[in-house]
Amino acid sequence: MPTPDSLADEFDMLMRRAGIVIPDERRAATLVSYADLCEQIALLNGRYAYTDEPANVFRLSPRGAR
Amino acid sequence: MDTVDLSIAAMGKALRAGTATSEQLTNAALNRIATIDAGLNAFVLVTRDRALADARRADTELKASIDRGPFHGIPYALKDIYDTGGIRTTCHSKLRLDNVPAADSVVAAKFTDAGGVLLGKLATHEFAIGGPSFDLPFPPARNPWNVEHVTGGSSSGSATAIAARMVRMAMGSDTGGSIRGPAAWCGLAGIKPTYGRVSRRGVFPLSWTLDHCGPLSRSVEDSAITLGILAGYDPADPASADVPVANYLPDLNKGVSGLRIGIPRAFFEGSPVAVPDVLAGIDRTVDQLRAAGATVEDIALPDYALFAAAGRIIMMAEAYAIHAADMRSRLLDYGAITASRFVLGAAITAADYINALRARRELTDAVNEALSRYDTLLTASALCTAPRFDEPVDAMSSAAPMQTIPFNVTGHPAMSVPVGLASNGLPIGVQIVGRPFDEAMVFRVSRAVEVLSGWEKFALPI
């Protein structure tokens, strides 16, 4: 797990790269949300094999059904 | 009975029997808005002249035996992300304060074709995500059950207007629960139809592959009537589904005898944010459904956290694609909550987004498999009652109290229906989930829950 400091450095770098300037007074709250999002991203990392394709169409019927 | 309490069907009957006119219904609604909305903030714009013109036209047509169907002469209102030709559509945002669309959204046009009466445009969380906020051009809508509490979002004004008896039905949109959440917290029915069931053309997007349009209303029947006039294929909406539309009314009161209902209990039981009253409401509903002849069984679905993660990653990535340029150049013109949510999209990689889409496939298959064995699923709409404004919860966090986003991820139709009041006097609801395009079954089970819970006998707060 990244440390809070490394997460903050990473967030600042990503915002700089995107050209977004976060006001100082909003940075702490946004960092909390970023840490939470990173945990959610981690849940899906490594979960799938190369055979697990993303949906290129919405699947709304049971697998194999016509 | 006050005309503002008449169901859509009852209003239609009165109009055709000549015991009421659309102009009378409309004036009653406009008067109620004028009397009570100053403290509730449901409307950002009341279209009084348009409403009266719509109503007089409906009266003239009905008198001439020109009948446009069940919505003819019925007052309604639209969340302010639905384009209305010649009428300002702001998304509750400083960025679109001067936006006057040239044409109606498909939904608005369908209401016009059906003879509906547009009362006005309703408050929303900014761009259907950022709120409740006090740093936007309009104040946040307040919960009529207790004005110190939020309505839930983002279809906040829609829920307030209905729960305060200003209008019987109002349109919302639902990307992670923005119809079902406010419905649950304000004691209303609200359906997110199947993805692709209602055209989104002319509705400002939040996240293209999660966005759904649908009604909030006082009753399940009101929603069924409304969806009946809105559902259908639109070749100009890239996600519209060319699937026949059923008549939602014939089976509405058939009850649940012989139906099978699955409960993904791990979704809500043991959750640290679930309050006992909500869990008791689910258990009570299960008992009532069993007593009415349904088979109700616990089922297993993948971990709720996977649904929530996939939904949030997809939503943030797609929303950022829409707002990236304004995030760079006009960040401070957004409300603080909106901005703090949208900027996170800049941190999502292509691989993260694709993994979320792979999760979507896995999770959709799992829900479809469950629904191959059950007619519907039943779960919580929200794990707690509406919080106070001064005790906000982050609706986007992994600990959010809404249980709605799984079915934005998978596209299944899902409806929140009220089942009673918690000990704090605020409404609680349950969520009914159906097979793709089987809104008729969702309405049928929801209507049974509505009847069994006795909700129709509860008095609204104002």
Side-chain angles (χ1 to χ4, degrees):
Chain A
M1 284 294 287
T3 64
D5 281 348
S6 68
L7 210 58
D9 290 345
E10 179 182 275
F11 179 74
D12 290 342
M13 181 274 293
L14 289 166
M15 291 303 110
R16 272 200 305 277
R17 192 184 69 175
I20 296 171
V21 180
I22 308 280
D24 288 346
E25 66 273 18
R26 294 185 185 176
R27 183 171 173 273
T30 311
L31 265 174
V32 171
S33 297
Y34 177 62
D36 188 55
L37 176 67
C38 287
E39 288 181 17
Q40 290 186 303
I41 288 169
L43 273 180
L44 304 184
N45 276 345
R47 181 174 177 83
Y48 299 106
Y50 71 91
T51 50
D52 295 320
E53 283 191 37
N56 65 345
V57 290
F58 231 89
R59 177 181 285 166
L60 292 169
S61 54
R63 189 193 298 266
R66 295 188 64 194
Chain B
M1 179 184 279
D2 198 324
T3 59
V4 295
D5 290 317
L6 291 176
S7 70
I8 291 174
M11 282 190 272
K13 202 174 280 184
L15 291 173
R16 285 161 186 79
T19 55
T21 65
S22 179
E23 190 170 350
Q24 287 170 339
L25 301 177
T26 302
N27 272 320
L30 289 170
N31 289 341
R32 186 154 178 84
I33 294 165
T35 304
I36 64 169
D37 195 36
L40 294 170
N41 312 321
F43 282 81
V44 298
L45 180 70
V46 178
T47 54
R48 182 183 182 84
D49 292 345
R50 160 71 185 268
L52 289 170
D54 285 348
R56 289 171 187 143
R57 187 181 314 115
D59 287 333
T60 301
E61 289 179 343
L62 286 166
K63 209 170 176 181
S65 298
I66 300 166
D67 194 330
R68 295 176 183 268
F71 221 84
H72 204 169
I74 306 298
Y76 73 98
L78 295 169
K79 182 177 182 175
D80 202 25
I81 65 169
Y82 285 81
D83 278 357
T84 37
I87 298 170
R88 190 180 67 175
T89 302
T90 69
C91 299
H92 212 119
S93 177
K94 185 177 178 183
L95 282 87
R96 293 180 74 80
L97 268 184
D98 300 323
N99 174 52
V100 179
D104 277 346
S105 54
V106 167
V107 164
K110 285 197 172 195
F111 279 120
T112 300
D113 290 346
V117 175
L118 178 64
L119 295 173
K121 307 298 287 292
L122 294 160
T124 167
H125 290 180
E126 186 179 30
F127 288 111
I129 190 171
S133 300
F134 291 88
D135 59 352
L136 300 175
F138 312 102
R142 290 180 175 272
N143 193 322
W145 291 88
N146 184 331
V147 295
E148 300 303 321
H149 290 246
V150 306
T151 59
S154 63
S155 306
S156 50
S158 309
T160 298
I162 302 164
R165 301 163 57 232
M166 301 180 209
V167 65
R168 194 73 196 194
M169 188 290 302
M171 288 301 292
S173 65
D174 193 318
T175 306
S178 290
I179 290 172
R180 292 161 288 158
W185 279 353
C186 293
L188 307 172
I191 185 164
K192 178 201 81 65
T194 311
Y195 185 76
R197 181 79 288 184
V198 175
S199 174
R200 305 156 308 148
R201 186 155 52 103
V203 181
F204 199 91
L206 171 55
S207 172
W208 298 285
T209 71
L210 298 170
D211 286 343
H212 301 65
C213 298
L216 295 85
S217 61
R218 278 276 288 281
S219 71
V220 173
E221 182 194 62
D222 290 338
S223 279
I225 289 171
T226 305
L227 192 62
I229 68 165
L230 299 179
Y233 178 56
D234 173 14
D237 176 346
S240 186
D242 191 0
V243 177
V245 179
N247 182 341
Y248 302 128
L249 299 178
D251 290 349
L252 196 58
N253 289 297
K254 277 195 171 172
V256 292
S257 181
L259 297 185
R260 292 174 53 77
I261 298 170
I263 312 284
R265 191 166 292 276
F267 267 26
F268 51 86
E269 207 160 75
S271 165
V273 293
V275 301
D277 282 346
V278 168
L279 299 178
I282 293 172
D283 287 342
R284 197 167 56 243
T285 304
V286 166
D287 290 344
Q288 290 165 343
L289 290 167
R290 284 186 176 134
T295 299
V296 187
E297 296 174 343
D298 287 356
I299 62 164
L301 285 177
D303 191 337
Y304 184 88
L306 295 172
F307 289 92
R312 187 181 190 188
I313 293 164
I314 292 169
M315 190 190 302
M316 293 300 98
E318 294 184 1
Y320 183 70
I322 294 165
H323 290 274
D326 284 334
M327 286 283 106
R328 285 191 287 274
S329 62
R330 302 186 62 183
L331 187 76
L332 296 180
D333 285 341
Y334 289 87
I337 291 176
T338 319
S340 70
R341 289 177 180 168
F342 281 163
V343 296
L344 296 183
I348 293 169
T349 69
D352 298 335
Y353 181 69
I354 291 168
N355 280 339
L357 296 182
R358 296 159 105 184
R360 161 178 276 175
R361 175 56 61 105
E362 174 196 0
L363 300 172
T364 305
D365 284 345
V367 175
N368 277 332
E369 193 282 326
L371 283 164
S372 70
R373 293 179 285 119
Y374 295 91
D375 296 291
T376 67
L377 310 182
L378 185 153
T379 183
S381 299
L383 295 172
C384 62
T385 54
R388 292 176 55 88
F389 276 96
D390 54 8
E391 295 171 356
V393 294
D394 183 353
M396 289 308 303
S397 80
S398 57
M402 287 297 162
Q403 290 260 296
T404 45
I405 203 168
F407 310 108
N408 297 84
V409 172
T410 66
H412 292 83
M415 182 164 213
S416 184
V417 59
V419 296
L421 297 178
S423 51
N424 62 5
L426 295 173
I428 55 177
V430 299
Q431 183 175 206
I432 307 297
V433 183
R435 297 172 183 139
F437 303 103
D438 195 5
E439 283 84 4
M441 181 60 77
V442 174
F443 284 133
R444 177 178 166 183
V445 175
S446 297
R447 172 65 185 150
V449 170
E450 186 179 52
V451 171
L452 294 165
S453 70
W455 178 253
E456 290 169 306
K457 297 186 183 74
F458 281 77
L460 289 181
I462 299 178

